Amino acid sequence: MTTTLVIGFPVLAILFIVIPLKLKASFSFLLIFALGIASPFAVDFVYCSVLGKECKPDALEAVGFLFLAISVIIISSAIYAFVPKKFKQRSIDGG
């Protein structure tokens, strides 16, 4: 359950940021990549500072950050790729 929340919330947050911006596909994927890299730090901040859980430094924390970032980037990119084009593209008339 915790793993689902730790991966799910950043994925949803990234998609709720990227989709309404309606950028070109390359810029959208670049933004997903950048936000995916930042997501482990946001999760760590929420888990340790906001929720007040006791966080101890660990040698494997960097591996966990890397795994979380990669999984969030892959899942967000896959979901973004399957979102219908009408949600991702700007309309020609500006509306």
Side-chain angles (χ1 to χ4, degrees):
M1 180 70 175
T2 304
T3 306
T4 305
L5 294 175
V6 167
I7 294 175
F9 280 144
V11 167
L12 289 176
I14 289 171
L15 291 174
F16 281 130
I17 291 171
V18 172
I19 291 173
L21 291 177
K22 297 184 178 187
L23 301 170
K24 291 184 180 181
S26 58
F27 291 121
S28 294
F29 285 114
L30 186 63
L31 185 60
I32 288 172
F33 181 79
L35 292 173
I37 294 295
S39 67
F41 300 103
V43 168
D44 188 54
F45 174 76
V46 169
Y47 189 77
C48 296
S49 298
V50 176
L51 297 177
K53 301 288 183 180
E54 184 177 336
C55 297
K56 296 179 183 177
D58 188 5
L60 293 176
E61 191 170 327
V63 175
F65 273 31
L66 181 65
F67 176 74
L68 179 61
I70 289 172
S71 60
V72 166
I73 291 168
I74 290 172
I75 294 170
S76 298
S77 297
I79 293 173
Y80 182 77
F82 288 111
V83 169
K85 288 185 180 182
K86 65 180 179 180
F87 294 118
K88 296 189 286 189
Q89 293 179 347
R90 293 182 189 206
S91 61
I92 295 172
D93 62 0

